[in-house]
């Protein structure tokens, strides 16, 4: 899922990861941090850090993976 948001007046000054967690509540702040570090989030067209302070007028764009990775299933195997 790709999306974007523009930081409005009065929303500036906070951390990028916390701001995104407030705006997109179905994604946790820790997962936003992972996405930012993986380069899936851009601020004004450039890579950023989770603790980057946002400013009014910043354009934040991101790409969320279509599907979360599936958990490994246990397998019954013989052990020596």
């Amino acid at each position: 899922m790709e999306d974007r948001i523009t930081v409005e007046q009065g929303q500036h000054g906070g951390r990028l990861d916390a701001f995104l967690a407030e705006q997109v509540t179905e994604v946790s702040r820790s997962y936003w941090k992972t996405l930012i570090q993986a380069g899936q989030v851009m601020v004004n067209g450039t890579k950023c850090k989770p603790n980057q302070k946002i400013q009014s007028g910043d354009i934040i764009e991101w790409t969320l993976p279509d599907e979360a990775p599936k958990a490994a299933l246990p397998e019954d195997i013989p052990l020596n």
Side-chain angles (χ1 to χ4, degrees):
M1 171 179 129
E2 292 183 36
D3 215 340
R4 71 186 307 178
I5 190 168
T6 301
V7 179
E8 301 292 327
Q9 192 72 19
Q11 294 179 314
H12 65 281
R15 288 173 55 114
L16 175 61
D17 57 352
F19 173 78
L20 287 171
E22 289 175 7
Q23 300 299 310
V24 185
T25 57
E26 59 269 10
V27 179
S28 70
R29 187 189 62 79
S30 61
Y31 191 55
W32 277 118
K33 181 178 177 181
T34 301
L35 291 171
I36 294 165
Q37 291 171 331
Q40 298 297 311
V41 179
M42 307 286 261
V43 176
N44 300 322
T46 60
K47 288 187 178 181
C48 47
K49 294 183 179 181
N51 65 348
Q52 179 172 326
K53 301 296 183 192
I54 58 170
Q55 302 297 321
S56 296
D58 280 350
I59 298 172
I60 304 169
E61 299 174 285
W62 65 87
T63 303
L64 294 177
D66 291 333
E67 187 176 309
K70 296 186 183 203
L73 298 175
E75 186 178 334
D76 190 18
I77 57 172
L79 299 175
N80 292 334

